[in-house]
Amino acid sequence: MDLLKRIETIIEEPLHARGYTLVRVQLSGGIRKVLQIMIERTDEGGITVDDCTTVSRLVSVLLDVQDPIKDPYTLEVSSPGLERPLVKLRDYQRFCGQMVLLTTHQPVNGRKRFQGRLTSAGENGITLDLLDVPGEALTPLSIELENIRAARLFIDFNAL
């Protein structure tokens, strides 16, 4: 099992039992690694500093006991923010109808970067209505989940 999946397995259920959903686990850095844990509340309320502190303490204890990371690291716990990453199928399903920005591993129709409205999500992939040219008809595009490198909600602050 890869390291990030092992960390998810260790912390996901204890977090859920305390009212949190794991959004993403990332490990970055060279000599001094940074383990980033992104969380949401299961009641979909906002994440507070107290929530981050609670989760940080819990995750620290769990990872100290299991010790999946052998090198020194810094733990960061945060909310996903407004332009939240979409990581799991449930994220795509939850945010259908929202604007997203995504990149793919392999080109789709000659491109790897897409912006559009997420219209559907299922086991086989997602469908976006591309917003390529303002004022023109929307172009639907299907992308397999395995081909998505990164995706996040997109807030057009100019339109607000």
Side-chain angles (χ1 to χ4, degrees), residues 65-122:
V65 170
Q66 298 285 331
D67 200 23
I69 305 171
K70 302 303 178 196
D71 299 321
Y73 66 93
T74 300
L75 175 63
E76 291 181 357
V77 177
S78 67
S79 77
L82 289 176
E83 294 191 319
R84 167 199 204 289
L86 303 175
V87 181
K88 299 176 180 166
L89 174 58
R90 71 175 185 241
D91 299 332
Y92 292 99
Q93 291 170 331
R94 176 179 168 196
F95 291 103
C96 275
Q98 300 294 316
M99 294 296 297
V100 299
L101 184 64
L102 68 81
T103 57
T104 58
H105 295 285
Q106 300 299 317
V108 177
N109 297 341
R111 298 171 46 189
K112 287 187 170 186
R113 291 181 50 86
F114 301 93
Q115 178 182 333
R117 187 166 309 283
L118 180 61
T119 58
S120 69

Side-chain angles (χ1 to χ4, degrees), residues 13-64:
E13 187 54 39
L15 287 178
H16 189 73
R18 286 166 180 79
Y20 300 101
T21 301
L22 185 61
V23 174
R24 181 174 71 189
V25 176
Q26 275 190 325
L27 187 62
S28 60
I31 294 171
R32 184 67 172 182
K33 299 193 179 318
V34 176
L35 177 63
Q36 183 190 49
I37 308 290
M38 251 185 222
I39 57 167
E40 289 183 314
R41 295 172 55 99
T42 54
D43 65 6
E44 297 184 9
I47 292 293
T48 66
V49 172
D50 288 340
D51 291 320
C52 292
T53 301
T54 298
V55 169
S56 179
R57 288 181 180 145
L58 174 62
V59 168
S60 291
V61 168
L62 292 169
L63 295 182
D64 283 350

